Amino acid sequence: MLEPRNEAATYLLAARREPGILFAAGMTLTPVHPSGSRLTVAGLFAGIGGIELGLHHAGHVPTLLCESDPGACGVLATHFPGVPLSRDVRTLKTVGKVDLITAGFPCQDLSQAGRTAGIGGRQSGLVGHVFRLVDALKRRGPQWLLLENVSFMLHLDRGNAMRYLIDELEARGFAWAYRLVDSRAFGLPQRRQRVILLASRSEDPRDVILADDEGEDERPVFPDTWCGFYWTEGTRGLGWAEDAVPTLKGGSTIGIASPPAIWNPRDGSISTPQICDAERLQGFQADWTLPSIEGKGVRRGHRWKLVGNAVSVPVARWVGKRLARPGRFRASDADPLARGVGWPRAAWGHRGQVFPVDVSMWPMRWPREHLSDFISSPLVPLSERASAGFLGRARASSLVFQPGFLDAVADHLERIRRAAVA
């Protein structure tokens, strides 16, 4: 393993109990300096800095940030003072001489919660500016290119979104590797599966992205285990997650960014976490996004969108540590995939060939707290309107629910209604 279990436990404990050790208002924290190389980083579509903060924890140095959301810019300006901040990737002329360009490009047109317009949609199509900026550097181009997006990108438009990215990379001489990664592998009780795509024209990205595999944590589920779900759904899906919350999202099927719900079978309560715990579920310090609402016109609820669109910090830290000190990928004798075949969970390729890789979404297996122990702030009861809407959709659907769950929702709704007239 790259991370000794005691180091992982120390990291998580510090982030939970002593946030000043790992997180601070500004880059005053001391990063973990590995024995390998220290890279300069240009963060495009930086959001609230999840990738950049994780890379910084691994010893790398952000030298440029680019983000258009006013609230996110407020967060970046607070936590990354002194790092140049551009507000529009469309007008950005150059990222300068850097070792690594990162881009967690907009996923609104790719995710199942969004419009699924595809890679050419108004938002997700902005990734083309990443390649424009790479081209502008010519021979001074970056050593590495790191892209991140939703898992649905592998399937959208029969895989054409992913094919577009791969073709653009290979046209510029990049070798590449990608895999799906679950944030639960890094001790966070959030089931969040994301595509991590790494490319290079001089190095082997397989030794970074594909060298580690610990296998999924088969944790037992007990009758009183907390379960997370999307109260905004209930017709065709639920996002059910045992001992975790489902993916925190920047949008939902009802068009707003909102917290997931949590069912506590022990007392039957149906509640939602507060934003400070949502930030921690992404690996940030509580109240990391508080600076976002200091600007004019930014509502408090916008913090949920910012957190939902972020990259989990420990995932980026793992990538950063492997960039500094690569592992060793052991290639199998797998045959290359035919063009047009669905994209697998992990693969690598170069010069038109795609080779599938049999790895899990768990490159690490850090100690993970139970959801009931992780949540540190009081839960908020799900409102009458939200409970009634979910219950109506769920009862009208053909979904199969865990025994006792819908009865618990109905009882919760009745308690809220009785309290309202008391």
Side-chain angles (χ1 to χ4, degrees):
M1 289 179 60
L2 171 63
E3 298 275 4
R5 291 183 185 273
N6 61 342
E7 181 184 350
T10 301
Y11 174 86
L12 294 171
L13 183 64
R16 178 178 173 85
R17 297 181 180 174
E18 300 179 69
I21 294 177
L22 293 176
F23 306 99
M27 305 298 281
T28 57
L29 55 106
T30 301
V32 179
H33 290 287
S35 59
S37 60
R38 185 180 185 187
L39 306 178
T40 53
V41 182
L44 307 180
F45 311 103
I48 57 174
I51 293 179
E52 294 73 23
L53 182 61
L55 291 174
H56 184 71
H57 286 166
H60 307 300
V61 183
T63 59
L64 174 72
L65 300 170
C66 184
E67 174 57 45
S68 62
D69 184 285
C73 287
V75 175
L76 294 174
T78 298
H79 296 296
F80 296 85
V83 179
L85 175 59
S86 175
R87 302 297 180 102
D88 192 342
V89 71
R90 297 171 298 179
T91 59
L92 185 62
K93 301 299 182 183
T94 181
V95 297
K97 184 173 175 56
V98 295
D99 302 310
L100 168 64
I101 294 178
T102 68
F105 61 95
C107 64
Q108 290 94 323
D109 299 320
L110 301 179
S111 71
Q112 290 173 300
R115 297 181 296 275
T116 62
I119 198 70
R122 184 174 62 87
Q123 294 296 322
S124 297
L126 293 172
V127 70
H129 290 283
V130 176
F131 300 116
R132 174 182 63 80
L133 290 165
V134 169
D135 292 342
L137 294 172
K138 299 180 180 179
R139 294 184 179 180
R140 298 183 297 112
Q143 181 181 8
W144 296 100
L145 181 60
L146 175 64
L147 304 178
E148 180 273 349
N149 217 292
V150 296
S151 60
F152 189 64
M153 182 174 67
L154 298 179
H155 311 290
L156 180 64
D157 192 19
R158 293 178 294 184
N160 285 331
M162 191 68 177
R163 171 51 60 189
Y164 165 80
L165 295 178
I166 296 304
D167 286 349
E168 292 294 312
L169 289 170
E170 293 191 345
R172 292 162 175 81
F174 282 92
W176 55 269
Y178 78 83
R179 75 187 293 175
L180 281 176
V181 175
D182 193 322
S183 294
R184 291 178 297 175
F186 299 91
L188 301 175
Q190 179 197 178
R191 189 190 60 220
R192 187 180 190 88
Q193 300 168 0
R194 287 294 186 265
V195 177
I196 306 296
L197 171 60
L198 184 68
S200 178
R201 286 186 283 212
S202 60
E203 308 298 328
D204 191 343
R206 300 176 301 175
D207 289 339
V208 176
I209 293 297
L210 301 174
D212 302 307
D213 190 29
E214 288 295 316
E216 184 169 351
D217 181 13
E218 298 179 357
R219 172 178 289 184
V221 177
F222 300 100
D224 61 349
T225 297
W226 287 16
C227 298
F229 66 98
Y230 294 131
W231 63 265
T232 54
E233 300 186 12
T235 301
R236 292 182 298 175
L238 186 63
W240 190 259
E242 296 173 330
D243 207 10
V245 297
T247 303
L248 298 173
K249 299 187 295 187
S252 70
T253 54
I254 63 174
I256 60 173
S258 55
I262 297 173
W263 173 39
N264 179 354
R266 183 177 300 174
D267 62 13
S269 61
I270 308 292
S271 309
T272 60
Q274 296 191 47
I275 186 63
C276 52
D277 276 327
E279 292 162 329
R280 294 177 53 249
L281 284 163
Q282 287 280 55
F284 295 98
Q285 177 188 5
D287 284 333
W288 178 265
T289 61
L290 192 59
S292 67
I293 59 175
E294 295 175 357
K296 294 182 179 179
V298 180
R299 298 181 178 181
R300 299 190 67 85
H302 189 62
R303 295 174 67 185
W304 284 101
K305 180 178 180 179
L306 298 178
V307 172
N309 285 337
V311 176
S312 298
V313 176
V315 174
R317 181 175 183 264
W318 161 68
V319 175
K321 294 200 75 173
R322 270 299 183 216
L323 283 167
R325 191 167 50 196
R328 183 179 179 184
F329 171 71
R330 293 174 174 82
S332 65
D333 296 329
D335 294 327
L337 292 178
R339 196 175 182 96
V341 174
W343 294 95
R345 185 164 55 188
W348 64 274
H350 187 44
R351 295 179 179 176
Q353 290 192 310
V354 177
F355 296 89
V357 181
D358 184 19
V359 293
S360 74
M361 290 184 280
W362 293 61
M364 298 285 106
R365 199 187 295 178
W366 286 16
R368 178 161 56 100
E369 286 185 281
H370 293 289
L371 180 60
S372 57
D373 296 327
F374 184 91
I375 297 296
S376 62
S377 298
L379 293 169
V380 180
L382 190 64
S383 71
E384 176 184 356
R385 181 178 179 181
S387 300
F390 171 79
L391 187 60
R393 292 189 298 273
R395 284 174 169 172
S397 75
S398 58
L399 297 175
V400 178
F401 299 93
Q402 184 164 318
F405 170 61
L406 289 187
D407 289 338
V409 177
D411 291 343
H412 168 77
L413 179 58
E414 182 61 27
R415 287 195 299 271
I416 291 178
R417 286 172 171 170
R418 286 200 306 265
V421 299

